[in-house]
Amino acid sequence: MQIKRDDLHGPEIAAMLEAHLKDFEPHSPPESRHALDLDGLRRPEVHFYTAWEDNELLGCGAFKRLDDTHAEIKSMRTDPNHLRKGVARAILAHLIEEARAAGLQRLSLETGPMAHFAPARALYEAFGFTYCEPFGSYREDPYSVFMTRRL
């Protein structure tokens, strides 16, 4: 598996991110969905990475700088054909290392509290993320939980 910084211009990543956004529709109302679209992910404060094997897109993930020391994990997604193969684990480990290399001191994230998001929460917990209060511009929301980790 090769993980690389991505410019978000390939058709494969556009399709994966469209599926990512659609995946939230049955689980939370529009005002409680915080995933970024392609334009949001192309902003300079976002570091976006994709995982590939034999020219096949396996998954993606990003971090968005909130300030000089704090960033938010965004757009973690594994292609459904590659679940339970360590893709998300490899991407998250890569994001943590890239965030450290960028001088960040903390990573935080927002995800859902519903059963659908339990595997994601378990992954973050396994990497040392703990539950926290809303950060940045987030507010309390019954459709969100927040997690953080010091680097």
Side-chain angles (χ1 to χ4, degrees):
M1 178 183 329
Q2 178 191 13
I3 299 174
K4 63 180 184 176
R5 186 107 184 240
D6 198 296
D7 65 6
L8 294 128
H9 285 93
E12 303 94 341
I13 194 59
M16 180 174 280
L17 290 170
E18 184 177 328
H20 184 62
L21 294 173
K22 281 193 158 306
D23 193 41
F24 298 128
E25 290 177 5
H27 304 287
S28 57
E31 65 274 9
S32 294
R33 295 181 207 147
H34 304 289
L36 297 174
D37 62 11
L38 276 172
D39 288 337
L41 289 167
R42 287 181 179 136
R43 298 192 48 83
E45 65 271 19
V46 177
H47 297 237
F48 189 86
Y49 299 88
T50 48
W52 298 84
E53 190 168 81
D54 299 327
N55 295 318
E56 185 175 3
L57 178 61
L58 307 179
C60 64
F63 66 84
K64 176 184 175 187
R65 280 184 171 272
L66 302 175
D67 60 35
D68 289 341
T69 63
H70 190 193
E72 178 183 5
I73 298 286
K74 300 297 287 183
S75 300
M76 286 287 295
R77 176 83 176 179
T78 301
D79 182 281
N81 294 321
H82 297 286
L83 294 173
R84 289 173 285 289
K85 295 180 181 177
V87 174
R89 184 170 289 282
I91 291 170
L92 185 55
H94 188 83
L95 292 175
I96 290 168
E97 288 310 310
E98 290 290 329
R100 273 192 188 117
L104 295 167
Q105 297 172 11
R106 176 175 294 281
L107 281 174
S108 300
L109 62 96
E110 178 275 338
T111 191
M114 295 72 81
H116 176 77
F117 299 102
R121 293 191 310 273
L123 174 68
Y124 297 130
E125 289 169 359
F127 273 80
F129 284 84
T130 58
Y131 293 90
C132 65
E133 297 297 315
F135 59 90
S137 62
Y138 289 109
R139 301 292 169 251
E140 289 289 340
D141 184 329
Y143 295 94
S144 293
V145 295
F146 306 94
M147 302 177 82
T148 195
R149 164 199 165 136
R150 286 208 173 276
L151 301 175

